[in-house]
């Protein structure tokens, strides 16, 4: 589906981002990933992607740092020639009730989760506009749609991603650039594995399908939105949540 395409995926070292990188690589895309610290997880991902028979480029980059993102985009363009797909997946959480939340915890989450999306999208836009083609997929969360106690910073950042994406989708649609949002619900990752059985059971009661999603469920949607099958879809928010949030 993506043979010969070049994709940047932020926050790909584990979980959803890793599965997205592998899924796009399995479908022929060359992959660019960023890292803050090169570690065993990045090294393992590089080997797994190389085994798919595609190119893999790694660049040290904190997405909240505009200059480092400039370098990420520049290296990707120099080594691969074009950038056809951008998946903004990088994100952090620093949960806590508002009364106890430190200012720096609020700001750091917005810096990575929202400002990071601005940085990459702004810097990749001239390339895609010149190509008159491109797919940008921003990973938000159902929390950005309905909120969640103890996550006001995370919810604000993910709601911001949705508003940002809809606005930019209107701006770039005439130039052939599609921007869509994927909003996962509860996905089986290292983060959710740390929850107690009691908490997991209470979560399942809120999901009509009575099960958590897999990282592959999210990656498959990103694959569709990255491909020509989604050429007439832009500005949309698509939930991957087993029916938990229906708006």
């Amino acid at each position: 589906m993506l043979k010969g395409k070049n994709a940047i995926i932020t926050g790909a070292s584990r979980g959803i981002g890793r599965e997205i990188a592998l899924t796009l690589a399995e479908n022929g895309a060359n992959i660019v990933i960023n890292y803050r610290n090169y570690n065993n997880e990045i090294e393992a991902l590089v080997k797994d992607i190389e085994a798919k028979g595609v190119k893999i480029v790694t660049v040290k980059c904190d997405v909240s740092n505009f200059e480092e993102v400039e370098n990420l985009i520049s290296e990707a363009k120099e080594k691969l020639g074009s950038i056809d797909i951008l998946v903004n997946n990088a994100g952090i959480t620093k949960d806590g009730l508002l009364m106890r939340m430190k200012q720096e915890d609020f700001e750091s989450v917005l810096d990575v989760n929202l400002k990071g999306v601005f940085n990459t999208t702004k810097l990749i836009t001239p390339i895609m506009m010149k190509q008159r083609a491109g797919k940008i997929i921003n990973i938000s969360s159902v929390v950005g749609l309905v909120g969640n106690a103890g996550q006001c910073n995370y919810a604000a950042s993910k709601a911001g991603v949705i508003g940002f994406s809809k606005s930019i989708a209107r701006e770039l649609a005439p130039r052939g650039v599609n921007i869509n949002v994927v909003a996962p619900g509860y996905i089986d990752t290292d983060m959710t594995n740390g929850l107690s059985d009691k908490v997991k059971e209470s979560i399942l009661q809120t999901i009509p399908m009575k099960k958590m999603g897999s990282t592959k469920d999210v990656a498959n949607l990103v694959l569709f939105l990255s491909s020509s099958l989604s050429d007439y879809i832009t500005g949309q928010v698509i939930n991957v949540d087993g029916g938990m949030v229906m708006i």
Side-chain angles (χ1 to χ4, degrees):
M1 291 176 70
L2 302 177
K3 188 174 182 179
K5 301 294 185 180
N6 303 314
I8 295 177
I9 302 153
T10 67
S13 65
R14 62 174 68 181
I16 291 172
R18 189 179 198 279
E19 192 65 52
I20 291 170
L22 290 171
T23 299
L24 268 56
E26 286 168 0
N27 283 270
N30 300 310
I31 305 295
V32 181
I33 59 173
N34 72 304
Y35 64 89
R36 298 178 76 171
N37 297 293
Y38 199 90
N39 54 33
N40 292 337
E41 291 176 331
I42 295 293
E43 186 173 351
L45 178 60
V46 168
K47 290 180 180 178
D48 288 344
I49 289 175
E50 287 176 338
K52 309 291 183 188
V54 299
K55 297 177 182 176
I56 171 72
V57 177
T58 62
V59 183
K60 182 176 175 61
C61 171
D62 175 352
V63 295
S64 68
N65 185 302
F66 192 81
E67 288 73 25
E68 290 187 17
V69 175
E70 279 187 307
N71 182 59
L72 170 69
I73 304 297
S74 176
E75 283 205 37
K77 185 74 164 59
E78 179 182 343
K79 292 180 178 179
L80 298 179
S82 67
I83 304 171
D84 307 292
I85 302 158
L86 169 65
V87 182
N88 281 308
N89 171 74
I92 63 172
T93 58
K94 291 192 177 180
D95 297 347
L97 296 174
L98 176 62
M99 290 179 63
R100 299 172 186 166
M101 185 172 290
K102 298 177 182 177
Q103 181 177 336
E104 54 265 33
D105 289 343
F106 186 86
E107 292 176 348
S108 62
V109 169
L110 265 72
D111 280 348
V112 174
N113 297 6
L114 182 55
K115 183 184 173 187
V117 173
F118 166 81
N119 288 343
T120 54
T121 305
K122 177 175 174 59
L123 289 166
I124 214 165
T125 292
I127 296 171
M128 290 185 170
M129 288 180 69
K130 187 175 181 180
Q131 295 171 175
R132 299 194 71 85
K135 300 294 181 78
I136 298 175
I137 301 97
N138 294 327
I139 308 300
S140 179
S141 167
V142 294
V143 171
L145 293 168
V146 297
N148 194 33
Q151 288 192 308
C152 66
N153 50 0
Y154 185 75
S157 70
K158 292 304 186 178
V161 166
I162 292 171
F164 173 84
S165 301
K166 286 178 175 289
S167 299
I168 304 306
R170 291 181 180 276
E171 293 181 20
L172 300 185
R175 302 302 290 269
V177 181
N178 303 62
I179 301 179
N180 290 290
V181 178
V182 174
Y186 284 101
I187 305 298
D188 189 9
T189 63
D190 291 343
M191 187 181 299
T192 54
N193 285 340
L195 299 174
S196 69
D197 290 341
K198 185 178 180 179
V199 171
K200 286 182 180 180
E201 184 57 34
S202 66
I203 290 171
L204 292 178
Q205 295 308 309
T206 69
I207 303 172
M209 287 188 173
K210 302 303 179 187
K211 64 178 181 178
M212 289 191 183
S214 70
T215 55
K216 193 67 173 178
D217 291 325
V218 181
N220 284 339
L221 176 57
V222 173
L223 172 62
F224 167 74
L225 293 173
S226 300
S227 75
S228 60
L229 296 175
S230 65
D231 281 354
Y232 199 57
I233 300 173
T234 196
Q236 303 305 305
V237 181
I238 306 176
N239 298 353
V240 185
D241 65 355
M244 187 176 73
V245 175
M246 300 187 190
I247 299 176

